[in-house]
């Protein structure tokens, strides 16, 4: 963490390090043993009530040592470089499973580590070609972390993907450093409003104004808007009146298996 200071040793430091290494070894073994699965959360067109797309979410319920949530194994994979293998597994599985469902768009999360890989665009295109799925049906969701850390590199990576017809969405908008400035600085096709931004929107006029201004700006830039984490009808009704048409959340459907 830097020089010119002293840190008192604590055994917990080694415990955490060992735990992280164990998880990383488990991920390698889990990939080889085909223990990972995907669940899909539908994205709903509020006007027609139809499913227009799904977001692929990785699950590790069949882990030999017991189920582990993505909040633990994804950071471990990013720290070890295994996120490339894990991410391509998720992408390939989602395209293979959802590809045959004509008219359903496929949304997959990609990490900053993956975006930093110059071979990502070609790998994605190769997978699409393998399964005969058009690039226009795929959307990759990115968070602000990589955008903040390496803005120029992020621009190149995103443009390389968009030039192939793949849509890019700014995920978790409304958390961390997220601001309208990012919508101007980077080229996106969609912005996904985080649950923290839409929760109880009908009860907080300040939050309502914030969401309304964000949506107005997004639409002025020809960006689509998806509201995530919608759990109450009142939230959906107000968001709809504000102009939002795409919804994702427990009110409509929880993440589920392909079947």
């Amino acid at each position: 963490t830097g020089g010119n200071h002293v840190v008192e040793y604590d055994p917990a430091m080694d415990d955490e390090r060992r735990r992280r290494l164990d998880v990383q070894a488990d991920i390698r073994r889990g990939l080889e043993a085909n223990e990972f699965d995907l669940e899909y959360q539908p994205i709903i067109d509020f006007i027609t009530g139809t499913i227009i797309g799904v977001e692929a979410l990785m699950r590790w319920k069949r882990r030999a040592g017991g189920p582990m949530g993505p909040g633990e194994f994804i950071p471990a994979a990013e720290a070890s470089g295994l996120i490339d293998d894990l991410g391509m597994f998720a992408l390939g599985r989602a395209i293979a499973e959802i590809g045959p469902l004509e008219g359903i768009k496929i949304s997959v999360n990609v990490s900053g580590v993956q975006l930093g890989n110059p071979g990502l665009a070609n790998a994605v295109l190769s997978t699409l070609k393998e399964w005969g799925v058009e690039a226009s049906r795929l959307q990759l969701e990115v968070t602000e972390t990589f955008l903040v850390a390496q803005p120029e590199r992020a621009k190149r990576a995103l443009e390389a993907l968009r030039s192939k017809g793949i849509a890019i969405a700014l995920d978790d908008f409304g958390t961390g450093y997220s601001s309208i400035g990012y919508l101007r600085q980077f080229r996106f096709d969609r912005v996904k409003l985080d649950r923290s931004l839409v929760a109880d929107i009908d009860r907080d006029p300040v939050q309502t104004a914030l969401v309304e201004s964000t949506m107005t700006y997004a639409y002025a830039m020809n960006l689509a808007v998806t509201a995530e984490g919608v759990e109450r009808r009142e939230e959906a009704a107000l968001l709809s009146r504000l102009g939002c048409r795409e919804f994702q959340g427990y009110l409509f459907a929880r993440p589920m298996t392909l079947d």
Side-chain angles (χ1 to χ4, degrees):
T1 56
N4 300 321
H5 67 273
V6 174
V7 177
E8 183 177 355
Y9 172 75
D10 186 321
M13 295 176 180
D14 271 352
D15 292 341
E16 176 58 30
R17 181 180 61 84
R18 278 193 293 267
R19 167 68 175 169
R20 185 169 60 251
L21 292 175
D22 287 345
V23 171
Q24 291 168 359
D26 254 8
I27 292 172
R28 290 190 183 91
R29 184 194 50 74
L31 280 168
E32 293 173 358
N34 195 31
E35 292 179 351
F36 291 92
D37 297 296
L38 292 183
E39 290 184 354
Y40 301 98
Q41 187 169 31
I43 301 169
I44 307 295
D45 183 312
F46 193 65
I47 304 300
T48 64
T50 58
I51 297 174
I52 57 175
V54 293
E55 179 181 352
L57 301 166
M58 198 171 300
R59 298 291 185 257
W60 198 6
K61 296 180 178 179
R62 296 185 291 114
R63 176 173 172 264
M68 180 178 290
E72 184 169 3
F73 70 77
I74 293 294
E78 289 180 330
S80 64
L82 288 168
I83 194 62
D84 276 325
D85 292 335
L86 207 56
M88 287 310 298
F89 158 80
L91 181 76
R93 176 69 65 84
I95 291 173
E97 292 188 339
I98 304 300
L101 305 179
E102 293 294 337
I104 302 296
K105 291 187 179 293
I106 308 163
S107 193
V108 181
N109 294 280
V110 291
S111 73
V113 176
Q114 288 176 273
L115 285 172
N117 182 347
L120 177 64
N122 286 336
V124 172
L125 288 175
S126 176
T127 304
L128 288 167
K129 183 178 180 180
E130 177 184 355
W131 293 99
V133 177
E134 294 180 0
S136 59
R137 288 184 58 197
L138 178 63
Q139 172 176 275
L140 299 181
E141 299 189 14
V142 302
T143 57
E144 67 187 21
T145 307
F146 184 58
L147 310 182
V148 173
Q150 302 184 56
E152 292 306 316
R153 192 173 181 181
K155 283 182 181 178
R156 291 194 297 271
L158 297 183
E159 280 307 308
L161 292 162
R162 290 187 81 251
S163 68
K164 306 300 183 182
I166 298 166
I168 304 295
L170 177 59
D171 195 17
D172 299 336
F173 188 87
T175 63
Y177 299 103
S178 289
S179 70
I180 287 177
Y182 283 118
L183 303 184
R184 295 189 63 183
Q185 187 176 358
F186 300 92
R187 295 183 64 190
F188 297 104
D189 300 283
R190 175 173 278 96
V191 57
K192 300 191 74 174
L193 304 179
D194 187 73
R195 165 68 186 165
S196 63
L197 202 59
V198 305
D200 299 326
I201 187 175
D202 55 305
R203 299 168 178 168
D204 187 342
V206 174
Q207 196 163 326
T208 302
L210 178 61
V211 171
E212 183 175 19
S213 62
T214 299
M215 290 174 55
T216 299
Y217 195 91
Y219 289 142
M221 297 183 65
N222 294 318
L223 297 175
V225 177
T226 302
E228 294 185 289
V230 181
E231 299 181 359
R232 298 169 48 247
R233 292 189 180 279
E234 293 80 3
E235 294 166 356
L238 179 53
L239 285 163
S240 179
R241 289 198 297 273
L242 294 177
C244 188
R245 181 166 177 168
E246 298 179 11
F247 291 84
Q248 185 178 349
Y250 288 0
L251 174 63
F252 304 95
R254 291 175 177 267
M256 60 187 76
T257 63
L258 176 65
D259 290 341

